[in-house]
Amino acid sequence: MGCGASSEAAAPSKSSSGGGGGGGSFSETARRLDDPEKTAISSGIDRELDRARQQEEGKVKLLLLGAGESGKSTIFKQMRILHGSPRSDDDLRMYGVVIRSNIIVAIRKLCTHLRNLGLEETLSQEPAPDADDGKGTMTPKEAFDELLAHLVDNTAAMPEENGDSNNSRDWVGQSPRAGLAANNDAKQFLQHVNAIRIVWQSKTMKEVWSKRAAVNVIDGHKEYFQDIMRIASPAFKPTTQDILLARVRTTQVVMERYRIDGIDFEMYDVGGQRSERRKWIDCFDHVDAVIFVAALSEYDQTLAEAKRTNRMVEALDLFRSVCNNRAFANTSIMLFLNKKDIFAEKILYSDIAAQRPFYDYAGPPKDFDHGVLYFIQKFKDCLIDDEFNDSFIHVTCATDTNNMEFVLDSTRTIIMTDNLRRSGFLGSD
């Protein structure tokens, strides 16, 4: 039961034929041995069972663990890009709906945050942007009011129907797999895309964006806003990069199989939110390696499900519990410190030492290398023993396929070598 379940060969049943197991049983065995056809069938079954056992023993099971929104699912998607099958049109349409929905979720948070910061008056002083067709356009404040009425406060009498955005020419259309809420959001995106574009391009929104940590907007969705008209186009078909940036909360255990250089791999992705972690236990059996993912950039953010808890502190506590769990006593554990690109951008305006849990940071501000080394040491301090080799730690950008190809290839080599060492085929040095 669960992703850790494995079928076991049934124990041989004791035959009750012949009562006390005398000569009748011997004669039956002799007759079977004299029957070449039955002997061949029996030998074939034995060979098939042996092959299945060897295949199961030779399989490498990888488990992705970490807190919510750390980038586990993005790494999972990268494995499919590098070693799996291409996405179907049905997949792409589902992601198209999700991407448009992601933009609506983000703009809702940002508009609410703008209002809470008291920046509406500042926004009202900005002029309307120049329209491409030379005609007049909305001011940022007018666009903001439209978004508040339709997306945040829901005070608009009726959602406006836009014929151009709701026709059969739109390649994405709707996707039942994305869910009702995402489809509704995607529809609203097409109805209000111009207002979203104008608000996003305002100077005031740039200030709000720099303070996005307070409302947990997904950093990578900045790329969606910057390419918003392509995403609104009827011909829009998600690219690989679009899919990597898409946020779909993992609410069940997801597994995919890959065959790489003659070795079978199974990779499992699980939800990272607290409410999802009770499902992790089902995945702990026969794990060859754990890839623990933590987001470097979340040192100044709090959990969506627990506003008082710092995300990096949560990741450290979770890493401590995973590393010191008896279920993983003989399991390779890799640490991926993810979102290095966002971390490099964020430390320029968000001081590590200014965050209460990390007041002891003594490195220079705005320094990427010192900041990374500081957090690496924090994770190492979680270990009971000091066997955690530096080669097991990678600083990553999960949305960068070239970076992840190198990291995952290195990880695969380390896992195979470590498994051989643990099995006694290699020395322990």
Side-chain angles (χ1 to χ4, degrees):
M1 182 176 183
C3 70
S6 59
S7 59
E8 297 182 0
S13 59
K14 295 181 179 179
S15 174
S16 59
S17 174
S25 177
F26 175 81
S27 299
E28 185 179 347
T29 303
R31 283 197 301 272
R32 284 204 305 268
L33 291 174
D34 289 339
D35 189 332
E37 183 178 352
K38 290 183 178 180
T39 301
I41 292 173
S42 177
S43 298
I45 293 173
D46 289 341
R47 285 194 300 271
E48 184 64 25
L49 289 173
D50 188 55
R51 186 197 63 80
R53 178 186 59 78
Q54 291 179 2
Q55 185 177 25
E56 184 68 20
E57 290 177 352
K59 180 176 62 182
V60 177
K61 180 177 176 181
L62 306 177
L63 179 59
L64 284 166
L65 296 180
E69 299 182 8
S70 58
K72 298 186 304 301
S73 295
T74 306
I75 293 169
F76 192 75
K77 286 184 275 189
Q78 286 283 20
M79 278 291 285
R80 177 162 179 170
I81 290 169
L82 294 168
H83 302 291
S85 58
R87 298 281 180 185
S88 67
D89 280 353
D90 188 50
D91 289 338
L92 294 177
R93 287 189 169 91
M94 185 271 289
Y95 275 110
V97 169
V98 167
I99 288 163
R100 290 170 173 176
S101 173
N102 285 168
I103 294 173
I104 289 295
V105 171
I107 201 65
R108 279 195 187 109
K109 292 181 177 181
L110 291 169
C111 286
T112 302
H113 197 35
L114 187 153
R115 181 165 58 184
N116 292 341
L117 291 170
L119 294 174
E120 288 181 86
E121 181 61 31
T122 303
L123 185 68
S124 68
Q125 295 173 11
E126 294 194 40
D130 294 332
D132 294 336
D133 57 6
K135 299 178 181 179
T137 185
M138 287 186 288
T139 66
K141 182 61 166 62
E142 289 170 340
F144 175 76
D145 288 341
E146 177 184 320
L147 297 179
L148 280 185
H150 288 274
L151 305 180
V152 179
D153 298 332
N154 297 317
T155 55
M158 286 288 290
E160 294 181 3
E161 290 290 340
N162 187 321
D164 290 337
S165 66
N166 192 32
N167 58 47
S168 58
R169 292 189 300 112
D170 185 53
W171 187 85
V172 170
Q174 294 189 324
S175 170
R177 289 173 57 196
L180 180 61
N183 278 284
N184 288 338
D185 282 346
K187 182 179 178 181
Q188 288 188 306
F189 165 77
L190 293 173
Q191 292 167 348
H192 304 290
V193 61
N194 193 46
I196 296 171
R197 178 182 61 84
I198 292 170
V199 169
W200 171 253
Q201 292 176 347
S202 68
K203 294 179 180 178
T204 306
M205 184 52 72
K206 289 180 174 60
E207 180 180 350
V208 176
W209 181 256
S210 69
K211 300 174 180 177
R212 65 191 179 280
V215 289
N216 289 327
V217 174
I218 294 175
D219 305 275
H221 289 172
K222 179 180 181 179
E223 293 189 28
Y224 289 161
F225 283 111
Q226 292 174 332
D227 211 4
I228 196 167
M229 299 315 293
R230 176 181 66 88
I231 295 171
S233 165
F236 171 60
K237 182 180 286 191
T239 65
T240 296
Q241 187 66 15
D242 291 333
I243 292 171
L244 288 172
L245 293 169
R247 168 62 180 163
V248 182
R249 178 173 170 174
T250 306
T251 57
Q252 58 185 347
V253 177
V254 185
M255 184 272 285
E256 289 202 3
R257 293 184 175 92
Y258 307 98
R259 187 165 182 81
I260 308 170
D261 295 338
I263 299 172
D264 292 318
F265 287 81
E266 286 185 356
M267 178 174 271
Y268 294 80
D269 184 23
V270 296
Q273 283 77 15
R274 288 178 173 181
S275 60
E276 300 296 327
R277 293 176 199 166
R278 65 183 182 275
K279 302 173 186 175
W280 289 13
I281 192 67
D282 293 332
C283 303
F284 285 3
D285 290 341
H286 312 299
V287 172
D288 295 292
V290 171
I291 298 176
F292 188 93
V293 187
L296 276 170
S297 61
E298 294 184 344
Y299 63 90
D300 65 347
Q301 294 177 244
T302 57
L303 294 179
E305 64 266 39
K307 301 295 185 184
R308 294 178 181 272
T309 303
N310 179 280
R311 289 194 176 202
M312 183 63 84
V313 171
E314 179 83 353
L316 288 164
D317 289 343
L318 198 54
F319 182 70
R320 181 181 295 107
S321 67
V322 168
C323 285
N324 300 319
N325 191 307
R326 286 179 296 177
F328 301 133
N330 296 309
T331 301
S332 303
I333 298 179
M334 318 293 294
L335 173 63
F336 283 13
L337 294 178
N338 193 34
K339 302 189 180 182
K340 65 176 183 179
D341 54 328
I342 300 167
F343 178 74
E345 172 197 331
K346 185 178 281 189
I347 57 174
L348 299 178
Y349 57 82
S350 180
D351 187 11
I352 296 172
Q355 315 307 316
R356 184 178 297 177
F358 310 117
Y359 70 91
D360 60 339
Y361 173 69
K366 305 180 182 180
D367 189 290
F368 177 85
D369 291 336
H370 280 84
V372 169
L373 290 173
Y374 169 78
F375 284 115
I376 286 177
Q377 189 58 51
K378 285 288 185 184
F379 279 94
K380 284 185 172 181
D381 290 344
C382 295
L383 304 173
I384 292 177
D385 57 55
D386 58 355
E387 290 186 5
F388 205 72
N389 193 299
D390 284 347
S391 65
F392 285 38
I393 303 173
H394 294 278
V395 181
T396 64
C397 173
T399 57
D400 182 340
T401 301
N402 290 330
N403 173 244
M404 289 311 303
E405 182 175 17
F406 170 78
V407 168
L408 289 171
D409 281 350
S410 300
T411 298
R412 183 162 51 90
T413 301
I414 292 168
I415 290 169
M416 299 304 295
T417 303
D418 197 49
N419 282 352
L420 288 172
R421 180 183 65 80
R422 292 174 186 274
S423 301
F425 290 103
L426 294 179
S428 58
D429 292 337

